[in-house]
Amino acid sequence: SPAPATGATPAARPASDGPRRVRLTVSRVDPWSVMKLSFLLAVAIGIMTVVATAVFWTVLDGMGVFTEVNSLVESIVGKESPVDVLQFVEFNRVVALATLIAIVNMVLITALSTIMAFIYNLVAAMVGGIHLTMTDD
């Protein structure tokens, strides 16, 4: 490459002694972006909760666990007892409860993550934030 017009020679690149390290500080996080990301992650966790509950119920039902538990309860309290375990562990009831728990978890995870972002910003303003060292490969 030609030399600059001023007569100076181009600077030679220093020999690389390994990956370049950069020290960064996370001094603030945006609560709005934390809220959006935590909401999406909470939705994914909620979907996984409902699907896992349905699969777990199907496996237990296929193994006959619920009928065995019902037989055990009947043998303990007697056949004339109004207790029916199978009524309490119906598929629709279990999935509805899992859905309710997933919705409550979505609200809690989103709210707590957003509150934690505000708290992090307050603490980072006082102590300087988290220091990270990044390397360039």
Side-chain angles (χ1 to χ4, degrees):
S1 69
T6 60
T9 58
R13 289 185 65 176
S16 176
D17 293 333
R20 183 176 59 142
R21 294 181 181 266
V22 177
R23 187 172 162 112
L24 301 172
T25 301
V26 180
S27 59
R28 185 180 180 283
V29 293
D30 183 30
W32 178 249
S33 65
V34 168
M35 187 183 79
K36 291 188 294 187
L37 182 64
S38 66
F39 176 73
L40 290 176
L41 290 175
V43 167
I45 291 170
I47 291 170
M48 289 188 310
T49 300
V50 173
V51 170
T53 301
V55 169
F56 189 61
W57 186 92
T58 304
V59 169
L60 289 179
D61 188 51
M63 291 172 34
V65 172
F66 300 131
T67 55
E68 288 294 323
V69 170
N70 193 41
S71 300
L72 178 66
V73 170
E74 282 181 354
S75 68
I76 292 173
V77 297
K79 292 204 182 277
E80 63 277 349
S81 172
V83 177
D84 184 18
V85 174
L86 298 177
Q87 175 186 350
F88 293 111
V89 292
E90 289 178 339
F91 181 76
N92 291 339
R93 279 186 135 178
V94 172
V95 171
L97 181 63
T99 304
L100 180 65
I101 291 171
I103 290 170
V104 169
N105 278 339
M106 284 189 322
V107 171
L108 288 175
I109 289 171
T110 304
L112 289 175
S113 298
T114 307
I115 290 169
M116 292 304 292
F118 281 112
I119 291 172
Y120 177 81
N121 288 339
L122 291 174
V123 172
M126 290 186 281
V127 297
I130 297 176
H131 299 285
L132 301 172
T133 301
M134 312 277 284
T135 59
D136 183 21
D137 289 334

